[in-house]
Amino acid sequence: ETGVTQTPRHLVMGMTNKKSLKCEQHLGHNAMYWYKQSAKKPLELMFVYSLEERVENNSVPSRFSPECPNSSHLFLHLHTLQPEDSALYLCASSHPQGTGELFFGEGSRLTVL
Amino acid sequence: AQKITQTQPGMFVQEKEAVTLDCTYDTSDPSYGLFWYKQPSSGEMIFLIYQGSYDQQNATEGRYSLNFQKARKSANLVISASQLGDSAMYFCAIERVQGAQKLVFGQGTRLTINP
C-alpha cells in the first residue's frame, strides 16, 4: 500500500475539457512533485512544491496548472490539452531531511482525444 | 547539469540467474546521491536502493546491490537470484543537490524474467 495516493487512476478527456488530477500523501513530507512519463522518454519533472510554495516550474505549458493547498495535497488542473499530453502523470513526495528518496503514487494515466 | 544514461532498453534473464542493469551518470556536483527505482505494470515507482557519493561501501538491500564505481561514474544495479516478480521497468536516478531537491531519471531498462 502506497503512502501517496493519486486519483483518478485513469482519465480520458477531450481537448476542450477541464479536469484535475489529485495527489494526497500522509507521510508527513513537505515537498511534493509532479512528473510526466511519456512512452520511451525519461520521467520529466514538471513542478516542485516545497512547504506549499512552488519552487520549480520546468517550462511547463500554461494548460497545466498546479495547486498545493496544504502540505498533504497537490493538484494538477488540466485545460485545453493536446493529444501529445497523453501520458502517465506521477505524483511524489519527499522528506527534507531524507536522502532525497521520492515516494511515488501509482500515477494517473491520461488520454487526450 | 545532471544526466543519467541507461544503455539497455530491454533485458531478458532466466529465473534464478543474477542480472546487472547498467547505469552511467554525469554530474558536476561534488556530492550526490544515486537511486534505483522499479516500476511494475501498475505504474507505481518503487524505491529499491540508494548510494551516496561519499559512501565507502557499495549499498545492498536484500537481493539488490549497487556496483558503484565513482571514477567510471557508473552505478549498476545487480539483482541476485532473479524472480518472476522482478519483471518490470527499472530506472536509475541521480539527485540534484543544488536548488530544489529533485531526481533526474534515465530512460529505463525493461527487465523480463523468463521461467
Side-chain angles (χ1 to χ4, degrees):
Chain A
E1 183 180 320
T2 177
V4 180
T5 304
Q6 290 186 242
T7 55
R9 293 292 313 281
H10 300 273
L11 177 63
V12 180
M13 58 187 289
M15 289 190 286
T16 58
N17 291 158
K18 288 185 181 180
K19 297 286 184 183
S20 295
L21 306 181
K22 179 183 176 182
C23 178
E24 188 173 349
Q25 60 92 8
H26 296 289
L27 299 171
H29 296 164
N30 62 6
M32 296 187 76
Y33 309 75
W34 279 116
Y35 278 85
K36 175 183 178 183
Q37 186 179 24
S38 305
K40 299 181 181 180
K41 292 177 71 176
L43 273 77
E44 301 170 66
L45 179 67
M46 299 176 73
F47 302 104
V48 181
Y49 275 82
S50 179
L51 297 171
E52 302 155 36
E53 183 179 336
R54 190 190 311 177
V55 296
E56 186 155 340
N57 176 346
N58 277 351
S59 304
V60 180
S62 59
R63 56 185 185 270
F64 294 92
S65 174
E67 179 190 1
C68 188
N70 55 63
S71 60
S72 298
H73 294 86
L74 183 66
F75 294 88
L76 187 62
H77 303 299
L78 314 170
H79 176 51
T80 58
L81 295 191
Q82 305 298 312
E84 58 265 29
D85 297 323
S86 298
L88 181 68
Y89 289 85
L90 288 159
C91 174
S93 67
S94 69
H95 190 283
Q97 267 73 50
T99 59
E101 177 189 348
L102 295 181
F103 293 75
F104 283 87
E106 292 183 301
S108 294
R109 173 76 58 189
L110 173 67
T111 302
V112 182
L113 301 177
Chain B
Q2 289 83 358
K3 184 180 178 182
I4 291 284
T5 303
Q6 294 180 254
T7 57
Q8 306 154 310
M11 290 275 289
F12 294 84
V13 174
Q14 211 62 28
E15 189 180 8
K16 300 181 184 178
E17 290 183 351
V19 57
T20 298
L21 305 181
D22 295 340
C23 172
T24 57
Y25 61 91
D26 192 18
T27 181
S28 56
D29 291 334
S31 176
Y32 50 89
L34 294 155
F35 299 76
W36 276 93
Y37 281 82
K38 171 184 178 181
Q39 187 181 39
S41 56
S42 61
E44 181 188 358
M45 296 281 281
I46 302 168
F47 166 75
L48 295 179
I49 196 166
Y50 166 82
Q51 177 82 46
S53 59
Y54 284 104
D55 291 344
Q56 294 297 314
Q57 296 190 340
N58 287 346
T60 61
E61 288 285 349
R63 293 186 300 112
Y64 304 109
S65 61
L66 205 151
N67 184 1
F68 181 47
Q69 298 186 44
K70 194 171 182 178
R72 298 179 61 182
K73 294 192 173 180
S74 74
N76 298 340
L77 177 70
V78 180
I79 306 175
S80 62
S82 59
Q83 303 171 355
L84 295 179
D86 294 333
S87 294
M89 283 290 291
Y90 288 80
F91 293 92
C92 181
I94 187 168
E95 177 190 13
R96 187 185 72 178
V97 175
Q98 296 177 342
Q101 182 184 59
K102 75 167 190 179
L103 296 184
V104 175
F105 288 84
Q107 290 194 296
T109 295
R110 180 169 296 282
L111 176 63
T112 302
I113 307 298
N114 296 316

